[in-house]
Structures are given as structure tokens and as C-alpha cells.
Coordinates of all heavy atoms in Angstrom, one line a residue:
V265 N 69.0 43.3 -43.3 CA 70.5 43.2 -43.7 C 70.6 42.7 -45.1 O 69.8 41.8 -45.5 CB 71.2 42.3 -42.8 CG1 72.7 42.0 -43.1 CG2 71.1 42.7 -41.3
E266 N 71.4 43.3 -45.9 CA 71.6 42.9 -47.2 C 73.1 42.5 -47.5 O 74.0 43.1 -46.9 CB 71.3 44.2 -48.2 CG 71.6 43.8 -49.6 CD 71.4 45.1 -50.5 OE1 70.6 46.0 -50.1 OE2 72.1 45.3 -51.5
G267 N 73.2 41.4 -48.3 CA 74.6 40.9 -48.7 C 74.9 41.2 -50.1 O 74.0 41.0 -51.0
E268 N 76.1 41.6 -50.3 CA 76.6 41.8 -51.7 C 77.5 40.8 -52.0 O 78.6 40.6 -51.6 CB 77.3 43.2 -51.8 CG 76.4 44.4 -51.6 CD 77.2 45.7 -51.7 OE1 78.4 45.8 -51.5 OE2 76.5 46.7 -52.1
F269 N 77.0 39.9 -52.9 CA 77.7 38.7 -53.2 C 78.7 38.8 -54.4 O 78.4 39.6 -55.3 CB 76.7 37.5 -53.6 CG 75.9 37.2 -52.5 CD1 74.7 37.9 -52.1 CD2 76.1 36.0 -51.7 CE1 73.9 37.5 -50.9 CE2 75.5 35.6 -50.6 CZ 74.3 36.3 -50.2
V270 N 79.7 38.1 -54.4 CA 80.7 38.0 -55.4 C 80.7 36.7 -56.1 O 80.7 35.7 -55.5 CB 82.2 38.4 -54.9 CG1 83.1 38.2 -56.0 CG2 82.2 39.7 -54.3
Y271 N 80.4 36.7 -57.4 CA 80.2 35.5 -58.2 C 81.6 35.2 -58.8 O 82.0 35.9 -59.7 CB 79.1 35.7 -59.2 CG 77.8 35.7 -58.6 CD1 77.3 36.9 -58.0 CD2 77.1 34.5 -58.4 CE1 76.1 36.9 -57.3 CE2 75.8 34.5 -57.6 CZ 75.3 35.8 -57.2 OH 74.1 35.7 -56.6
L272 N 82.1 34.0 -58.4 CA 83.5 33.7 -59.0 C 83.4 32.8 -60.2 O 82.8 31.8 -60.2 CB 84.3 32.9 -57.8 CG 84.3 33.6 -56.5 CD1 85.0 32.8 -55.4 CD2 85.0 35.0 -56.6
A273 N 84.1 33.3 -61.2 CA 84.1 32.6 -62.5 C 85.6 32.7 -63.2 O 86.3 33.5 -62.8 CB 83.1 33.2 -63.4
A274 N 85.8 31.7 -64.1 CA 87.0 31.8 -64.9 C 86.7 32.3 -66.2 O 85.6 32.1 -66.8 CB 87.6 30.4 -64.9
P275 N 87.7 33.1 -66.8 CA 87.5 33.7 -68.1 C 87.5 32.7 -69.3 O 87.1 33.0 -70.3 CB 88.7 34.7 -68.2 CG 89.7 34.1 -67.4 CD 89.1 33.4 -66.2
Q276 N 87.9 31.4 -69.0 CA 87.9 30.4 -70.0 C 87.1 29.2 -69.7 O 86.8 28.9 -68.5 CB 89.4 29.9 -70.2 CG 90.2 31.0 -70.9 CD 91.7 30.4 -71.1 OE1 92.5 30.3 -70.2 NE2 92.0 30.1 -72.3
A277 N 86.6 28.5 -70.7 CA 85.9 27.2 -70.4 C 86.7 26.1 -70.1 O 87.9 26.1 -70.4 CB 85.1 27.0 -71.7
G278 N 86.1 25.0 -69.5 CA 86.9 23.8 -69.2 C 86.1 22.9 -68.2 O 85.1 23.4 -67.8
Y279 N 86.7 21.8 -68.1 CA 86.1 20.9 -67.0 C 86.6 21.2 -65.7 O 87.7 21.5 -65.4 CB 86.6 19.4 -67.4 CG 85.9 18.8 -68.5 CD1 86.5 18.7 -69.8 CD2 84.6 18.4 -68.6 CE1 86.0 18.2 -70.9 CE2 83.9 17.8 -69.7 CZ 84.7 17.8 -70.9 OH 84.1 17.2 -71.9
L280 N 85.6 21.2 -64.7 CA 85.9 21.6 -63.3 C 86.7 20.4 -62.8 O 86.3 19.3 -62.6 CB 84.6 21.8 -62.5 CG 84.7 22.2 -61.0 CD1 85.5 23.5 -61.0 CD2 83.4 22.2 -60.4
E281 N 88.0 20.8 -62.4 CA 88.9 19.7 -61.9 C 88.7 19.5 -60.3 O 88.7 18.4 -59.9 CB 90.3 20.1 -62.2 CG 91.4 19.0 -62.0 CD 92.7 19.4 -62.6 OE1 93.3 20.4 -62.3 OE2 93.2 18.5 -63.4
T282 N 88.8 20.7 -59.7 CA 88.7 20.6 -58.2 C 87.8 21.7 -57.7 O 87.7 22.8 -58.3 CB 90.0 20.8 -57.4 OG1 90.5 22.1 -57.9 CG2 90.9 19.6 -57.9
L283 N 87.0 21.4 -56.6 CA 86.2 22.4 -56.0 C 86.7 22.4 -54.5 O 86.5 21.6 -53.7 CB 84.6 22.0 -55.9 CG 83.7 23.0 -55.4 CD1 83.8 24.3 -56.2 CD2 82.3 22.4 -55.4
D284 N 87.5 23.4 -54.1 CA 88.4 23.4 -53.0 C 87.6 24.0 -51.8 O 87.9 23.8 -50.7 CB 89.6 24.3 -53.2 CG 90.5 23.7 -54.4 OD1 91.0 22.6 -54.2 OD2 90.5 24.4 -55.4
A285 N 86.5 24.7 -52.1 CA 85.7 25.2 -50.9 C 84.3 24.9 -51.1 O 83.7 25.2 -52.1 CB 85.8 26.8 -50.9
A286 N 83.7 24.1 -50.1 CA 82.4 23.7 -50.2 C 81.3 24.8 -49.8 O 81.8 25.8 -49.1 CB 82.2 22.4 -49.4
R287 N 80.1 24.7 -50.1 CA 79.1 25.6 -49.8 C 79.1 25.7 -48.2 O 78.9 24.7 -47.6 CB 77.8 25.2 -50.3 CG 76.7 26.1 -50.0 CD 75.4 25.6 -50.6 NE 75.0 24.3 -50.2 CZ 74.0 23.6 -50.7 NH1 73.2 24.1 -51.7 NH2 73.7 22.4 -50.2
G288 N 79.0 27.0 -47.7 CA 78.9 27.2 -46.3 C 80.3 27.3 -45.6 O 80.3 27.5 -44.3
T289 N 81.3 27.0 -46.3 CA 82.6 27.1 -45.6 C 83.2 28.5 -45.7 O 82.9 29.3 -46.6 CB 83.7 26.1 -46.2 OG1 83.7 26.4 -47.6 CG2 83.1 24.7 -46.1
R290 N 84.1 28.8 -44.7 CA 84.8 30.1 -44.7 C 86.1 30.0 -45.5 O 86.7 29.0 -45.4 CB 85.0 30.6 -43.3 CG 83.8 31.2 -42.7 CD 84.1 31.9 -41.4 NE 85.1 32.9 -41.6 CZ 84.9 34.2 -42.2 NH1 83.7 34.5 -42.5 NH2 85.9 35.0 -42.3
V291 N 86.4 31.0 -46.1 CA 87.8 31.0 -46.9 C 88.5 32.4 -46.6 O 87.9 33.3 -46.3 CB 87.6 30.9 -48.4 CG1 87.0 29.6 -48.8 CG2 86.7 32.0 -48.9
D292 N 89.7 32.3 -46.6 CA 90.6 33.5 -46.5 C 90.9 34.1 -47.7 O 90.8 33.5 -48.8 CB 91.9 33.2 -45.7 CG 91.7 32.6 -44.3 OD1 90.8 33.2 -43.7 OD2 92.5 31.7 -43.9
A293 N 91.3 35.3 -47.8 CA 91.6 36.1 -49.0 C 92.8 35.4 -49.7 O 93.7 35.0 -49.0 CB 92.0 37.5 -48.7
G294 N 92.6 35.1 -50.9 CA 93.7 34.3 -51.7 C 93.6 32.8 -51.7 O 94.5 32.2 -52.3
A295 N 92.8 32.3 -50.8 CA 92.6 30.8 -50.8 C 91.9 30.4 -52.0 O 91.0 30.9 -52.6 CB 91.7 30.4 -49.6
P296 N 92.4 29.2 -52.6 CA 91.8 28.6 -53.9 C 90.3 28.2 -53.6 O 90.1 27.6 -52.5 CB 92.8 27.4 -54.1 CG 93.4 27.1 -52.9 CD 93.5 28.3 -52.1
V297 N 89.5 28.5 -54.5 CA 88.1 28.1 -54.4 C 87.8 27.0 -55.4 O 87.1 25.9 -55.1 CB 87.2 29.4 -54.7 CG1 85.7 28.9 -54.7 CG2 87.4 30.4 -53.7
F298 N 88.2 27.1 -56.6 CA 88.0 26.0 -57.6 C 89.2 26.1 -58.6 O 89.8 27.1 -58.8 CB 86.7 26.0 -58.2 CG 86.4 27.2 -59.1 CD1 86.7 27.0 -60.5 CD2 85.8 28.3 -58.6 CE1 86.4 28.1 -61.4 CE2 85.6 29.4 -59.5 CZ 85.9 29.4 -60.8
A299 N 89.3 25.0 -59.5 CA 90.3 25.0 -60.5 C 89.7 24.2 -61.7 O 89.0 23.2 -61.5 CB 91.6 24.4 -60.2
L300 N 89.9 24.8 -62.9 CA 89.6 24.1 -64.2 C 90.7 23.3 -64.6 O 91.9 23.6 -64.4 CB 89.1 25.1 -65.2 CG 87.9 25.9 -64.8 CD1 87.5 26.8 -66.0 CD2 86.7 25.1 -64.3
A301 N 90.5 22.2 -65.4 CA 91.5 21.5 -66.1 C 92.3 22.3 -66.9 O 91.8 23.1 -67.7 CB 90.9 20.2 -66.9
S302 N 93.7 22.2 -66.8 CA 94.6 23.1 -67.5 C 95.4 22.4 -68.6 O 96.4 23.1 -69.0 CB 95.5 23.7 -66.4 OG 96.3 22.8 -65.8
D303 N 95.1 21.2 -69.0 CA 95.9 20.6 -69.8 C 96.1 21.3 -71.3 O 97.2 21.5 -71.7 CB 95.3 19.1 -70.2 CG 95.5 18.3 -69.0 OD1 96.1 18.6 -68.0 OD2 94.8 17.2 -68.9
P304 N 95.1 21.7 -71.9 CA 95.3 22.3 -73.2 C 96.1 23.7 -73.1 O 97.0 23.9 -73.9 CB 93.9 22.7 -73.7 CG 93.0 21.7 -72.9 CD 93.7 21.6 -71.6

């Protein structure tokens, strides 16, 4: 069995503010996974 993984990244740099989904957890489509600081 082979898995095709999707690597989630943001197009801009920044400090990681939140990590909403931990390793091994299930997420629904559209659920937030992480967020970078958005002040600038």
C-alpha cells in the first residue's frame, strides 16, 4: 500500500503562531492546520 502525502506550506515566511492539528490526528476538509503570525 502506498500513500500520496500532501505537504502543507504557506507562500510567505513568518513565525508559527498556532499548530491546530497535532501529528496523528484526523482533520476534515477545510479545517485549520496551522497559522503564521499575521501582524505585518
Side-chain angles (χ1 to χ4, degrees):
V265 176
E266 175 185 329
E268 293 181 331
F269 293 81
V270 176
Y271 290 83
L272 305 178
Q276 292 180 282
Y279 287 101
L280 183 60
E281 187 171 58
T282 60
L283 187 60
D284 302 291
R287 180 177 60 183
T289 59
R290 283 192 54 79
V291 294
D292 296 325
V297 177
F298 69 90
L300 302 182
S302 59
D303 294 344

